[in-house]
Amino acid sequence: MLFSRTLIPTLKETPAEAEVISHQLMLRAGFIRKLAAGIYTWLPLGYRVLRKVEAIVRQEMDKAGAQEMLMPGVQPAELWQESGRWEHYGKELLRFMDRHDHGFCLAPTHEEVITDLVRREVRSYRDMPLNLYQVQTKFRDEIRPRFGIMRAREFLMKDAYSFDVDEETSAESYRQMHAAYRAVFDRLGLRYRAVEADTGSIGGSFSHEFMVLAATGEDDIASCTACDYGANVEKAEVVLPPGEPAQPGQAVASVATPGTHTVEAVAKFLGVEARAVAKTLIYLADGQPVAACVRGDRELNEIKFKNLLNANEVFLASPEVIAQVTGGPLGFSGPLGLKIPIWADQELYREAALVVGANQADTHLTGLHLGRDVPAARQADLRSVVVGDPCPRCAGGTINLDRGIEVGHIFRLGTKYSQALGANYLDAEGNSKPIVMGCYGIGVSRIVAAAIEQGNDSNGIILPLAIAPFSVAVLPMSTSGQAWDEGQRLYQELRAAGVDVLLDDRDLRPGVKFKDGDLLGIPYRLVVGEKGLKNGQVELKHRASGQVEMLPLNEAVAAVTRLVREGGGQSL
Ligand code: ATP
Ligand code: MG
């Protein structure tokens, strides 16, 4: 492709609206432009990257035996009412009416549509296992679209759905998809982890997320220092180090603690550590008040709590509700005497004498022993893991925390959707049974941003060869004479060899071309200048390492072609 004939509107300045580096660089490199909040146009260069990601995903899905199809982006309300998600999906589901007043939504995902298809078309155990996938535009009216295409409202997803006769074969389909996902992310050339995850609004019993490691990731992920355990912090189990429950000691006593609304203030006022204070949080779980207690130096994990309660929504209660339920103001709640269900983190049972709120203004209780004083409290794992917690899977390993960007999520759905929509099959004996499903998503467009979060320097984007917009850029140092002629020849020969190559044919100063070349994330650059040509040489620069080498002119095409082939470079 010729630079001069391609729309590559690079920017010199960092756009103020972009907070994270991938968003800044995608705008600066002319990969994307914003149309509305969370809605972007892919310009030619960005679209090339997107298509290369898509190609790898597609090849690995096909290899794993999944069949590609394409479903509509507009879906009828009735199907979502049938599955129960018309109510539960919330405001991310963009709903509208057609001219006949029929309800529709823009597809945020396709479980309903695919299950509807399968209940009509798949009848017999002989038709399974079956795996169908698509690469399709999704719309989710995200509350806070941000980071460019990372958390967009309109985005490209690969979604696959598996259909099996029982849990055992469904588990096998899941394992195959897990392996295919590993193959995808290995080929993409990204540093990533597969971690156990919460199933969220898609539902089901079991899931893994694929996380690209990056400091700007929105997810915290726990992994073991010794074994291959990994989990999203939303889900990661806390296992306490060996130890015994504490024996009760002193009796409960009431102390005046004027104006101490926070754990820190109470701890300081009483001269104890934060861990000796139990914070009591009042929540509304699907509208019902419930109390959760955790050690003062820990964080309650709302997702674990929600799952424990089997609730659809949990919200911190307002000061008014707290006053009603506990009799005291916000900041002074405690478990003693509460008439609502109380859940206490397992760790609190290791403490002999806790400080808790007295459910009365400016008052706390000391000497509380949960087992002795609040027998109605139920013990559970409520807090988030922290660095150094013991690994829940192996002996000796401890937990480490990283940040990650979720680029893929796979679920075992069981019969959640097939039962809701009546997708059944006949087994060999003629019995009707619900189809067992799995679903498997990859954020194709988000991967582009994640790759740039992982690969960049002060000069711009550094993309893996497999997904770079071009594998090689040829830069003639002038637009006439020998440098121009040889540049043209190298460009043509590389193209003929099947290499994805960009010729910077613009009549601009070399400095400008170098800067643009670095910005665009093209892994190899061939610089053709009069000086090198005098010695029969051209310069090859590796974008990632900055390494420069001189190649004999007549060997350059073969050498670069080999590098690109061996490195997994793609041509569009
Ligand atoms: P998140 O927790 O980031 O909101 P999710 O759990 O809602 O993700 P899934 O429903 O599992 O996401 O969707 C599959 C994949 O689609 C995700 O792993 C992610 O890579 C991608 N994805 C989800 N939401 C967005 C979005 N708003 N913009 C871009 N990609 C997205
Ligand atoms: Mg989401």
Side-chain angles (χ1 to χ4, degrees):
M1 212 172 243
L2 302 179
F3 205 127
S4 67
R5 307 299 308 151
T6 311
L7 180 63
I8 310 176
T10 59
L11 307 174
K12 283 205 191 66
E13 306 295 327
T14 300
E17 84 231 46
E19 293 167 62
V20 292
I21 192 78
S22 60
H23 188 195
Q24 293 169 359
L25 288 173
M26 290 184 79
L27 289 169
R28 280 190 52 208
F31 279 21
I32 54 169
R33 286 295 181 261
K34 178 166 144 182
L35 178 66
I39 303 181
Y40 287 84
T41 297
W42 290 81
L43 301 188
L45 239 57
Y47 192 46
R48 294 179 70 83
V49 180
L50 187 68
R51 279 165 65 207
K52 287 188 178 183
V53 173
E54 196 181 326
I56 290 177
V57 171
R58 183 171 276 125
Q59 285 158 20
E60 295 302 327
M61 285 298 116
D62 291 345
K63 230 188 265 176
Q67 301 162 59
E68 186 165 7
M69 61 185 298
L70 184 60
M71 288 179 272
V74 171
Q75 308 185 346
E78 287 83 11
L79 268 183
W80 285 76
Q81 282 152 355
E82 225 182 310
S83 74
R85 286 206 293 184
W86 188 252
E87 302 304 324
H88 282 148
Y89 209 94
K91 290 195 167 173
E92 266 183 38
L93 190 65
L94 186 64
R95 301 151 212 246
F96 55 94
M97 298 279 196
D98 71 3
R99 63 168 77 200
H100 306 293
D101 281 347
H102 292 146
F104 285 88
C105 63
L106 287 184
T109 179
H110 280 74
E111 283 79 17
E112 280 77 4
V113 170
I114 194 106
T115 310
D116 176 57
L117 179 88
V118 163
R119 73 178 163 185
R120 294 165 200 276
E121 310 304 334
V122 172
R123 289 289 159 75
S124 155
Y125 70 96
R126 288 194 198 86
D127 301 329
M128 290 175 280
L130 177 67
N131 190 321
L132 298 167
Y133 81 97
Q134 64 177 349
V135 181
Q136 197 260 8
T137 301
K138 301 283 186 272
F139 193 95
R140 294 182 182 178
D141 203 354
E142 297 275 356
I143 182 166
R144 227 171 287 112
R146 56 185 189 152
F147 304 160
I149 50 119
M150 187 100 83
R151 181 165 296 285
R153 295 200 292 167
E154 184 174 305
F155 60 96
L156 192 64
M157 194 201 287
K158 184 286 302 176
D159 44 330
Y161 304 86
S162 66
F163 304 91
D164 283 281
V165 293
D166 57 27
E167 287 291 345
E168 203 182 324
T169 49
S170 180
E172 180 51 30
S173 297
Y174 185 88
R175 268 194 295 279
Q176 282 172 9
M177 280 292 113
H178 196 288
Y181 272 46
R182 287 199 160 278
V184 167
F185 294 110
D186 287 342
R187 276 185 65 191
L188 288 170
L190 301 174
R191 281 179 289 116
Y192 72 95
R193 281 223 174 87
V195 300
E196 296 175 16
D198 182 60
T199 52
S201 66
I202 303 280
S205 53
F206 191 74
S207 87
H208 282 91
E209 285 167 342
F210 290 76
M211 296 282 188
V212 165
L213 301 178
T216 47
E218 291 184 293
D219 284 273
D220 289 304
I221 53 185
S223 58
C224 176
T225 51
C227 74
D228 64 3
Y229 174 74
N232 193 313
V233 167
E234 291 178 353
K235 156 104 182 182
E237 303 144 56
V238 174
V239 171
L240 298 183
E244 296 294 319
Q247 292 307 311
Q250 65 203 85
V252 173
S254 172
V255 286
T257 50
T260 58
H261 294 271
T262 62
V263 168
E264 294 69 40
V266 177
K268 197 165 161 218
F269 184 83
L270 296 177
V272 297
E273 285 181 64
R275 60 169 290 168
V277 180
K279 40 178 181 203
T280 302
L281 303 158
I282 308 297
Y283 274 89
L284 289 178
D286 295 339
Q288 294 303 310
V290 30
C293 304
V294 291
R295 233 169 68 178
D297 58 338
R298 305 298 198 194
E299 291 301 323
L300 176 88
N301 184 322
E302 284 190 0
I303 306 245
K304 278 189 188 176
F305 191 43
K306 184 177 112 176
N307 289 340
L308 179 73
L309 299 176
N310 212 354
N312 283 318
E313 290 185 325
V314 295
F315 283 120
L316 273 172
S318 65
E320 295 73 43
V321 171
I322 291 173
Q324 245 172 42
V325 167
T326 70
L330 172 69
F332 293 91
S333 302
L336 199 62
L338 284 186
K339 300 277 182 297
I340 56 175
I342 303 168
W343 291 90
D345 186 67
Q346 50 185 350
E347 215 171 22
L348 291 171
Y349 290 83
R350 298 273 176 99
E351 303 292 328
L354 288 163
V355 174
V356 297
N359 299 318
Q360 189 184 324
D362 297 335
T363 316
H364 279 79
L365 304 176
T366 59
L368 185 106
H369 181 274
L370 264 178
R372 178 191 66 194
D373 301 321
V374 195
R378 275 171 287 180
Q379 195 176 149
D381 167 14
L382 293 182
R383 72 160 167 93
S384 296
V385 283
V386 294
V387 172
D389 276 340
C391 172
R393 294 285 181 277
C394 77
T398 57
I399 291 296
N400 208 354
L401 294 179
D402 286 296
R403 293 196 71 86
I405 300 168
E406 182 196 321
V407 288
H409 200 169
I410 61 177
F411 302 77
R412 283 180 63 184
L413 295 173
T415 56
K416 173 174 167 166
Y417 293 92
S418 46
Q419 285 194 316
L421 297 176
N424 302 313
Y425 71 97
L426 294 178
D427 71 7
E429 283 77 48
N431 304 311
S432 175
K433 291 187 173 156
I435 294 174
V436 184
M437 291 174 55
C439 77
Y440 315 91
I442 289 186
V444 177
S445 48
R446 183 180 283 180
I447 284 173
V448 178
I452 296 172
E453 282 300 320
Q454 224 175 53
N456 65 76
D457 63 13
S458 57
N459 295 321
I461 298 171
I462 304 175
L463 280 172
L465 191 55
I467 57 172
F470 292 93
S471 303
V472 185
V474 174
L475 270 67
M477 287 297 89
S478 72
T479 47
S480 60
Q482 203 194 353
W484 177 248
D485 294 343
E486 288 301 336
Q488 292 270 353
R489 188 181 60 78
L490 287 170
Y491 169 65
Q492 295 299 351
E493 287 183 14
L494 283 167
R495 269 166 63 105
V499 174
D500 215 7
V501 55
L502 178 73
L503 176 68
D504 194 343
D505 58 339
R506 296 172 302 167
D507 190 9
L508 292 173
R509 282 184 293 114
V512 177
K513 294 189 178 190
F514 287 147
K515 269 211 154 56
D516 278 349
D518 280 342
L519 178 60
L520 302 181
I522 300 173
Y524 296 109
R525 174 157 95 201
L526 273 177
V527 181
V528 192
E530 305 287 344
K531 225 163 62 211
L533 288 174
K534 280 209 181 81
N535 305 318
Q537 290 180 322
V538 289
E539 179 193 292
L540 175 69
K541 185 171 179 197
H542 300 243
R543 173 69 183 88
S545 64
Q547 181 200 341
V548 174
E549 54 186 310
M550 298 306 292
L551 298 176
L553 183 57
N554 55 1
E555 288 170 23
V557 170
V560 170
T561 305
R562 198 167 51 244
L563 279 173
V564 169
R565 292 236 172 92
E566 285 169 3
Q570 297 191 72
S571 257
L572 287 176

